[in-house]
Amino acid sequence: MFKRMEEIMIEIPDVEKPDANAAAAVHELLGGKFGEMSTLNNYLYQSFNFRSKSKLRPFYDLVMSITAEELGHVELVSHGINKIMQGSTSPGDPDKSPLESVKDARFSYPFLAGAQGAMPFDSMGNPWTGANVFNSGNLVEDLLHNFFLECGARTHKMKVYEMTDHPAARAVVGFLLVRGGVHVVAYAKALEVATGVNVTKLIPIPSLDNRKFNESRKYEEKGVHTKLYTWSDNDFTTIDQIWKGTHPEDGSALEVIHGVPKGVPIPEAPPLDEEFAPGISADEFKEIAKRLKQSGNIKE
Amino acid sequence: MFKRMEEIMIEIPDVEKPDANAAAAVHELLGGKFGEMSTLNNYLYQSFNFRSKSKLRPFYDLVMSITAEELGHVELVSHGINKIMQGSTSPGDPDKSPLESVKDARFSYPFLAGAQGAMPFDSMGNPWTGANVFNSGNLVEDLLHNFFLECGARTHKMKVYEMTDHPAARAVVGFLLVRGGVHVVAYAKALEVATGVNVTKLIPIPSLDNRKFNESRKYEEKGVHTKLYTWSDNDFTTIDQIWKGTHPEDGSALEVIHGVPKGVPIPEAPPLDEEFAPGISADEFKEIAKRLKQSGNIKE
Amino acid sequence: MFKRMEEIMIEIPDVEKPDANAAAAVHELLGGKFGEMSTLNNYLYQSFNFRSKSKLRPFYDLVMSITAEELGHVELVSHGINKIMQGSTSPGDPDKSPLESVKDARFSYPFLAGAQGAMPFDSMGNPWTGANVFNSGNLVEDLLHNFFLECGARTHKMKVYEMTDHPAARAVVGFLLVRGGVHVVAYAKALEVATGVNVTKLIPIPSLDNRKFNESRKYEEKGVHTKLYTWSDNDFTTIDQIWKGTHPEDGSALEVIHGVPKGVPIPEAPPLDEEFAPGISADEFKEIAKRLKQSGNIKE
Amino acid sequence: MFKRMEEIMIEIPDVEKPDANAAAAVHELLGGKFGEMSTLNNYLYQSFNFRSKSKLRPFYDLVMSITAEELGHVELVSHGINKIMQGSTSPGDPDKSPLESVKDARFSYPFLAGAQGAMPFDSMGNPWTGANVFNSGNLVEDLLHNFFLECGARTHKMKVYEMTDHPAARAVVGFLLVRGGVHVVAYAKALEVATGVNVTKLIPIPSLDNRKFNESRKYEEKGVHTKLYTWSDNDFTTIDQIWKGTHPEDGSALEVIHGVPKGVPIPEAPPLDEEFAPGISADEFKEIAKRLKQSGNIKE
Amino acid sequence: MFKRMEEIMIEIPDVEKPDANAAAAVHELLGGKFGEMSTLNNYLYQSFNFRSKSKLRPFYDLVMSITAEELGHVELVSHGINKIMQGSTSPGDPDKSPLESVKDARFSYPFLAGAQGAMPFDSMGNPWTGANVFNSGNLVEDLLHNFFLECGARTHKMKVYEMTDHPAARAVVGFLLVRGGVHVVAYAKALEVATGVNVTKLIPIPSLDNRKFNESRKYEEKGVHTKLYTWSDNDFTTIDQIWKGTHPEDGSALEVIHGVPKGVPIPEAPPLDEEFAPGISADEFKEIAKRLKQSGNIKE
Amino acid sequence: MFKRMEEIMIEIPDVEKPDANAAAAVHELLGGKFGEMSTLNNYLYQSFNFRSKSKLRPFYDLVMSITAEELGHVELVSHGINKIMQGSTSPGDPDKSPLESVKDARFSYPFLAGAQGAMPFDSMGNPWTGANVFNSGNLVEDLLHNFFLECGARTHKMKVYEMTDHPAARAVVGFLLVRGGVHVVAYAKALEVATGVNVTKLIPIPSLDNRKFNESRKYEEKGVHTKLYTWSDNDFTTIDQIWKGTHPEDGSALEVIHGVPKGVPIPEAPPLDEEFAPGISADEFKEIAKRLKQSGNIKE
């Protein structure tokens, strides 16, 4: 079971600089084969199907807890996408074509199906699919997969970062590079514990250091790359049998933190009349307010 | 952000009565168009993209909190599927064909790609896809969609219930019928608040009462169908402005509960040598145990 | 524009001999790459996009009119599928598993998503897709495609016929073999007119004669294979400039008939309580009947 | 069975103002999840699989007849798309790159696979799929679905209208907004008759009135939104037991018309040499004309 | 079994004129329904499943040998695509957005998933799929399919040629038009031998001559269109029983050549630091060089 | 460029023991995500897009040459599948349902679309797709992927081996386990050379030795697991800078062999009249033989 908080992980710059194609690129990090939907669902299903957990408790705890962080990543990158599209259009008479400015955007669904919000699709408008989930049940093979998956995810983030300087994209992707980097190391460490082979020596793949990215460096300087959270009130505490020793890149000491990091409030998205979202008129708001305050059933 | 607990919602009968095709049928409730992956992701993305939340707070809280419950449903139905497959095969010399008993199963991936575990696929082996997510951004339209989606999901559950008497399937589906029924009512109530139209009168669709299903009735008799949880430590408390009054079917009083229901421990899945899961020999377990206990890096 | 009649092309035997896997096989002829959905939509889109129709009128008329026949084929094969599934299950208490008899059916959607009715999917549960439509705009190439498509469709029908002796399957497939054979010849004749090359000499592909199939022979003996209809009250009459001369297989004279062939009433499908279809109780029927008879709005 | 006429529903402006990306957007209304292919096929399959039609005749007649109108909508929106692309390119020596002007169009198939004609694909080049069809067999659930589907389809039309001022797009979408609005009301009325709940009060969703769109208002002023056709010579006449009373938005009286509305001739599409469509030279036209006039077989 | 050479069929101009959308268009000829992946895999699977080869040896040899040529076509068009993207970006500090120039490219995968290299996808970013393979097993039907497929492939090539004047695109497409034209004739000849019907008279489809394309004409003038290779050291020599007589378009004598044509060296692709490809630093190259030279295992 | 031989790698037992569902399982090894189509196309595209080959020659040669071996694996597993289906049906009058014995097979395409031959689809009838190809361009990442891919492919083979004792399946899968094992080691060795990390120590994944499989052991005893071929007449000889030292499992010396291994003749597939394959009658064979012998054009 899961609990939710009305918080996201970091503050996203509130700059009005709409860029539909940058939002499309960031969608690759959400609904793409190597996007957050993939990391989330791989670990979610691996956690469901984990065998012999009593003997392999720290590995189980690792997969269980990282899943929860991935939910927050899916959430964060979605909010980032929304900020990148913000300001794309303005309200107007339908016969004045208020959506014309996005007609040439190369990913049309957020404008036609949605109201300029994130969708579980990739940069080409192909939906995320369950076919992206790998779960052999074999511990070493699943860890190897996860290590590879995180390396692939990291590469995609690096490329998207290089593709757009939109402040919201940079902020979100820079942060996720660091946290994704934590998962790269976590699965490498897990492989080392499982096999005795020093897989962490392969890190980083690609060999470019996160610190070469301004929006990542600022987090690494604060040690964000050394902390793994249990993402739980009481469970998953044995991850410190895997997340231990030092970081393979800079040698700093690794630390497990019980619970969750401090987040920030989720920003409010403004109405978008030209997309009929939420599509409630001033009068209707009043009626709704009344019905919300009413006790008992609305209708008998 | 989300937190996780090592608990699932109900106890699943631990009967060894493997039925690969029943497991396939229950997969429809996991990765199908009307499965738990769909309800989860619809509300997840609607929660990300919600507009004007300050003015529509209870609706926002409703979608935010139900999302968290759906995560637990995805988890529960997955564990149910695993129990249905339990005992399908036994370990054996590869040249004795230890997997032959599942060769004719009509959904082969859990046996070939996985180790007899749940996958985000439907009953025909088609993957869940992001194309199943609807999010217009228009409040009334999204609520109407959710109401319809929950009715469709309910119908599928009723049919799967009728398709197999496997105790694990019955237990999980019977419980989910009740909780899914809560969501049917919740979105109908929300539509009533949003529009003033008495949509709850349409309930139940199909018109067969949950109490006609033994495994659902026992929960309804305990009032499980009248409770909506915030699934949060501190947030989403305004859902009581929507979840109020009485249940449209039996007139019992509705109740909002802050936090989460009490769950049960997640059962341990046994090793499956013939699927190489987790694929760790006795000797390897010992080595791993040593490395887990070791402090600092495994390798320098 | 199109008009509809409450008729299907032939009577389908009303034998209760449910065979879910035979119904799956016949679905290949509905939603498969070479199924009726494909012939329908190929000609539908070719008719929309036809260029220079004034100079190529008989070709245009051919594609326009055959489209209408294909609609009837989609309809007929769907009704055939329904008859094959008829009797699969009986009503019963949900806790008696009234749908258990179809749990092992290899195509599950008609039982879980539908109420034992035809769906635009193929024999493996893959949906029909617009990717099956070919329309280059080049007259000769499109005709060549259609000729090939009809040969492929014919082959599939022959194989499905050989796969099951269900009377409803045989009746429908036998008839469609003959009518599909008409379309094979029609596109071959069109190619001959367009190019002067005697393509009809390639017929039949595969070389087995329709008369080797009992359920086809009876139609050929009545000359059903020699008639092409305009499927219109007033239009598409120039198809006689293509559909002329003799049949390449038996030399009988070809004939164009203005209008449509005589059909038979569409049979009524019985209720299926265990699938909640239509899911209307006796009391509800009465209420509905009242509301149907009421004049003016149901509600104010 | 169906009959066809060489007519489309309205005249489409013949303005040469090629806009490939506007054509892509309108494709969403053709092959998208909420496009005309979806409304058509949902009702087509629901009509095939309808149970207990004798007791539920007016509902059956409604679904049977609307299907036929949807065929005309698929046709109309396709012709609209073609007009929007008209003039995109000019004939020329292959080495002069006569198709270069469409190289950057974001939907390439109509230029590479087709000859600048409509295809059963959506705005992102994803094919229409049978997975878009819903048919539970439960009357209330199917009607609820259809009501939701039409609301979703309406929203998409409103957004596409706002995205381009191309006269052909505006004309077609404006008209379809009105006719789609009729179907919204029709399914809402049907739900009211089936359940007694005043679902029509939810209309319009989104709440913006069709009359806010110039190209829709002109039809509403003529009462086009109050008429439902049987789309048949003789059948489906009981729809007047559902389509009765007044329009929920403006209170005007509803009217059932037996038969079909008056259409307009289908315009001729000019040849496109640079796409090899139809690809017939002047000399070849002569040869073809001769063969068309010839009596009997072309070749012996 | 197959052998490989480090050669491609022709030299590709090494012009730096990056055009991401032209590369997307050429991808249609690689991973599209009528692309080289389709011709390759159709013949590959037909060759695996060929029945009665001893009696139909020349047909078998034809399909076996053409498969090998298609492998070279897949390779050539991929290298062509790479040349078209060459120069798209330059190395740079990640915070300078070195990939920004390709942000608006309408096919994003080669930039985000790949390192500006060809992928088995079409011009819309849809993956090539096995559903594009046709293999009925019926000799005449498969040949008819192949003839149609090659005509369709030819049409696509003609359109792509007209869409871009990029020298690498022109060179590759012009050459493939000629070689694809050989396959059109080969399957037509095979159909003639199999049936006695003069199918070659249909050629060319579309009727525009290859010689109208500068980059094709130069090959036809050298007789490249008259030669069919066995693509084998010792096998498939009976293709001369099909590839015989004269070319249907210009009457020149056809010739079978044992073995393969002379190719050219495969050019080296330069590193792309901004895509981390190959991502090896100068120091790392040195270390790698050492390990390459080391005898025995790298690690013990 | 590639050359072809009329040989496959090993002899496949010619036992008539048709098992459609075993053939379906083996299809997972052909068209599945971890099937031979995937290994083939991953290396094919990586070889096209390889950067800096002059500096990384042995890695390039490795990928280039293994591609050619994979072609032979696709071929071998296809022939294996065909043998498993052999004898499924017998010729017969269409009205005697000669294909009825395969009506319940869970993978229907080989019987309806094909003539009981292999198809590029997986065990659930989902087509192989280009989305299975990974090619980041980063050397280490691509090698890591390939190592993981081969481990996953190995696991699938082990499971399929355990699922059926069909002699043809066993023979083919047992052999491919050994050759696939060679590729596991090859990519691990390549990673070691590229990074200096002793990745070969992870082998085998899963930890079960190939020698536990009778049909693999016999090849390992002959040293088949120690040999890597260049699959070329003259090229790719530097793979001995990677394939060197000893095998990580048994310490035997590794050996590079220039050229290809000795194969065996490809067996002839018998005609299947009930599938119309090849569908040539005795008389037609005679006519065809005449036309094959004829010199010059068949028709003028």
Side-chain angles (χ1 to χ4, degrees), chain A residues 280 288-289 291-292, chain B residues 50 53 55-65 139 143 186-187 189-195 238-239 241-242:
Chain A
I280 307 293
I288 289 174
R291 288 190 291 261
L292 285 168
Chain B
F50 200 97
K53 73 173 171 179
K55 282 187 164 169
L56 297 165
R57 166 61 61 177
F59 299 97
Y60 177 71
D61 280 5
L62 187 73
V63 174
M64 287 290 283
S65 60
L139 179 69
L143 291 175
Y187 286 116
K189 291 261 176 188
L191 262 176
E192 286 192 358
V193 174
T195 64
T238 71
I239 57 175
Q241 294 178 38
I242 290 170

Side-chain angles (χ1 to χ4, degrees), chain C residues 33-34 131-134 136 138 140-141 144-145 147-148 151-152 155 159 195 197-199 201-202 205-206, chain E residues 33-34 131-134 136 138 140-141 144-145 147-148 151-152 155 159 191 195 197-199 201-202 205-206:
Chain C
K33 207 163 134 187
F34 289 85
N132 292 329
V133 169
F134 180 84
S136 72
N138 182 276
V140 174
E141 192 166 327
L144 177 63
H145 166 268
F147 174 64
F148 162 69
C151 290
T155 315
K159 292 181 183 176
T195 65
V197 180
N198 57 344
V199 179
K201 276 201 161 173
L202 293 166
I205 301 175
Chain E
K33 208 165 137 185
F34 288 86
N132 291 330
V133 169
F134 180 85
S136 71
N138 182 277
V140 174
E141 192 166 325
L144 177 62
H145 166 268
F147 174 63
F148 161 69
C151 290
T155 315
K159 291 182 183 175
L191 262 175
T195 65
V197 180
N198 56 346
V199 179
K201 276 202 164 173
L202 293 166
I205 300 174

Side-chain angles (χ1 to χ4, degrees), chain A residues 33-34 131-134 136 138 140-141 144-145 147-148 151-152 155 159 195 197-198 201-202 205-206, chain F residues 33-34 131-134 136 138 140-141 144-145 147-148 151-152 155 159 195 197-198 201-202 205-206:
Chain A
K33 207 163 137 187
F34 288 86
N132 292 329
V133 169
F134 179 86
S136 71
N138 182 277
V140 174
E141 193 167 325
L144 178 62
H145 166 267
F147 174 63
F148 162 69
C151 290
T155 315
K159 292 182 183 174
T195 65
V197 179
N198 56 344
K201 277 201 162 174
L202 293 167
I205 300 176
Chain F
K33 207 163 134 186
F34 289 85
N132 292 329
V133 170
F134 179 85
S136 71
N138 182 276
V140 174
E141 193 166 325
L144 177 64
H145 167 268
F147 174 63
F148 161 70
C151 289
T155 315
K159 291 180 182 175
T195 65
V197 180
N198 57 343
K201 277 201 162 173
L202 293 166
I205 300 174

